[in-house]
Amino acid sequence: MRPFEYISPTTKAQAVSLLSNSWGNTEILAGGTDLLALMKDDVVTPKRLVNLKEIKDLEGVSASPQGLRIGALTTLGDLADDKNIKENYPALAEALIEAASPQIRNMATIGGNLCQRPRCWYFRNGLGLLPKSETGRELVTEGENRYHAILGNDGPAKFVSPSTIAPVLIAYGGSLRLVGVRGQREIAVEKFFLTPKAEAQREHDLRPNEILAEIVLPPASEVKAAHYEIRQKAAFDWPLAVAAVGLRMEGANVQSARVVMGYVAPVPWLCPEAAQVLRGQSVNEERAQKAADAALRNAKPLSRNAYKVQLARVAVKRAILKAASGGAA
Ligand SMILES: Cc1cc2nc3c(=O)[nH]c(=O)nc-3n(C[C@H](O)[C@H](O)[C@H](O)COP(=O)(O)OP(=O)(O)OC[C@H]3O[C@@H](n4cnc5c(N)ncnc54)[C@H](O)[C@@H]3O)c2cc1C
């Protein structure tokens, strides 16, 4: 690993003042489960690491009538054990317990989970987010793309957004509080994720001198939500497709729906087409199938990942049926 300066601020204001206003010079360290691997592999080479773990008000979960506030430094393990999350946001609890392994969940923070970098093996091998050959050919298009995007892949970005937690936060209608040198801003979780069009851009709407401070979830009492992952094996593995669904009901009918897919696009993929199919209808097998078909109608698989279209369709259908029948078990 290359030498770097290491600083542990104790306040958010100190932390943002220590960050550079361009990417590459400084990086934020939370649990380190992603960043340190990238540094060891020489993919990320900061001159300064700003460790957030001494900033105590970035930790913990608190509930209020407005909903739930989750500090960005809270670990996935602590969140999975949180009584309030288990009772009121069971689909989130399920997504948390399915993520990674117990050892990683004990170190990994929710802020780091949302800001983690893509698992794309071109990126992890130092070829960049939008890998190209010396002659400018896109390497992923005809290359080893079996785990890459099937939606939102028209531009140069073909990787898939890596968080399995982000889709369910979007299904619950969550937002993020970002703190920078000029103060705080709040954005919907789905707006935080961006598809880079140039190598210098990142996959998040986070400025280089901002930190993700909090995740905010609205009260969940009226949302029936579910999370569904398809993996090659039940033991620890990254998924092939993820779906999360949040349904607001009016009697037996869906008043509004949020249908989100993960691992299919460079961003968590919100499907208004699927929500439209569900709106005003009761949910049954046939309706769920129609919504899942709508969610995948515009899929454009690459040379080796057409199999993911059907997997994602199945994940969406099952998540809808699961949400309608009461959500996570
Ligand atoms: C073996 C393995 C299996 C995994 N399986 C899954 C899985 O199934 N599902 C899943 O979703 N994830 C999975 N992950 C990813 C894991 O969840 C992330 O590595 C972890 O959540 C990152 O959190 P961290 O605190 O360790 O972040 P770090 O490694 O410290 O940081 C990760 C990135 O986020 C940035 N960052 C961290 N915190 C902040 C903040 N507050 N504000 C701004 N930027 C910040 C860092 O600068 C860095 O770029 C897996 C990882 C491993 C190694």
Side-chain angles (χ1 to χ4, degrees):
M1 203 191 270
R2 293 173 196 246
F4 55 86
E5 186 187 2
Y6 182 80
I7 309 185
S8 290
T10 52
T11 67
K12 289 179 275 194
Q14 280 170 5
V16 294
S17 73
L18 290 163
L19 292 167
S20 156
N21 54 14
S22 61
W23 289 114
N25 288 330
T26 55
E27 292 285 348
I28 293 164
L29 176 70
T33 60
D34 185 34
L35 182 65
L36 296 183
L38 289 167
M39 288 173 65
K40 285 180 190 166
D41 290 342
D42 217 22
V43 175
V44 175
T45 53
K47 297 194 174 52
R48 174 187 288 172
L49 221 50
V50 178
N51 168 37
L52 297 186
K53 287 194 295 290
E54 300 303 323
I55 307 177
K56 296 304 167 204
D57 60 349
L58 289 179
E59 285 174 13
V61 180
S62 54
S64 73
Q66 284 74 45
L68 201 70
R69 170 253 170 220
I70 303 172
L73 274 187
T74 319
T75 65
L76 303 188
D78 284 347
L79 287 176
D81 289 340
D82 187 88
K83 195 167 166 283
N84 194 326
I85 291 181
K86 280 197 218 169
E87 275 171 19
N88 298 317
Y89 302 87
L92 172 58
E94 195 175 300
L96 287 160
I97 208 72
E98 285 183 16
S101 63
Q103 292 86 344
I104 289 167
R105 290 197 295 274
N106 283 340
M107 292 298 293
T109 65
I110 183 74
N113 180 277
L114 297 176
C115 298
Q116 64 175 299
R117 310 302 307 278
R119 306 307 307 182
C120 167
W121 39 35
Y122 291 91
F123 173 68
R124 298 267 156 180
N125 279 290
L127 294 164
L129 273 180
L130 318 174
K132 285 199 171 134
S133 72
E134 282 167 7
T135 56
R137 219 165 32 87
E138 282 181 2
L139 293 177
V140 180
T141 309
E142 293 302 322
E144 192 40 274
N145 56 35
R146 73 186 107 153
Y147 301 128
H148 285 77
I150 53 171
L151 281 156
N153 55 7
D154 297 338
K158 313 279 192 242
F159 60 83
V160 292
S161 180
S163 170
T164 53
I165 314 295
V168 75
L169 296 178
I170 296 171
Y172 276 118
S175 56
L176 304 178
R177 290 191 180 136
L178 309 173
V179 173
V181 277
R182 292 204 197 95
Q184 180 174 290
R185 63 189 175 111
E186 184 161 333
I187 55 171
V189 179
E190 64 269 27
K191 296 220 164 92
F192 179 66
F193 295 94
L194 301 175
T195 302
K197 297 200 167 42
E199 197 58 60
Q201 296 170 355
R202 289 221 174 169
E203 336 64 271
H204 312 108
D205 182 19
L206 186 74
R207 295 171 194 144
N209 52 5
E210 272 182 330
I211 60 171
L212 167 54
E214 290 173 4
I215 294 101
V216 183
L217 293 178
S221 50
E222 288 145 30
V223 180
K224 291 170 101 177
H227 164 90
Y228 196 92
E229 275 181 37
I230 297 184
R231 296 167 182 258
Q232 204 145 24
K233 54 183 165 53
F236 152 71
D237 201 359
W238 272 279
L240 299 165
V242 175
V245 171
L247 303 177
R248 281 179 189 273
M249 306 298 289
E250 200 168 46
N253 289 347
V254 174
Q255 184 195 56
S256 66
R258 299 200 120 206
V259 178
V260 194
M261 289 185 284
Y263 276 78
V264 298
V267 292
W269 196 258
L270 199 53
C271 315
E273 308 87 348
Q276 175 65 30
V277 172
L278 297 173
R279 196 167 304 131
Q281 307 291 327
S282 62
V283 176
N284 54 27
E285 183 114 11
E286 192 191 347
R287 181 67 45 189
Q289 182 65 57
K290 279 192 179 145
D293 290 343
L296 274 304
R297 189 157 297 136
N298 296 323
K300 286 196 190 121
L302 301 168
S303 58
R304 295 175 187 214
N305 66 4
Y307 74 97
K308 285 184 68 169
V309 178
Q310 177 61 4
L311 292 188
R313 202 180 275 127
V314 168
V316 171
K317 180 182 173 186
R318 290 185 184 172
I320 291 170
L321 291 172
K322 193 170 161 187
S325 67

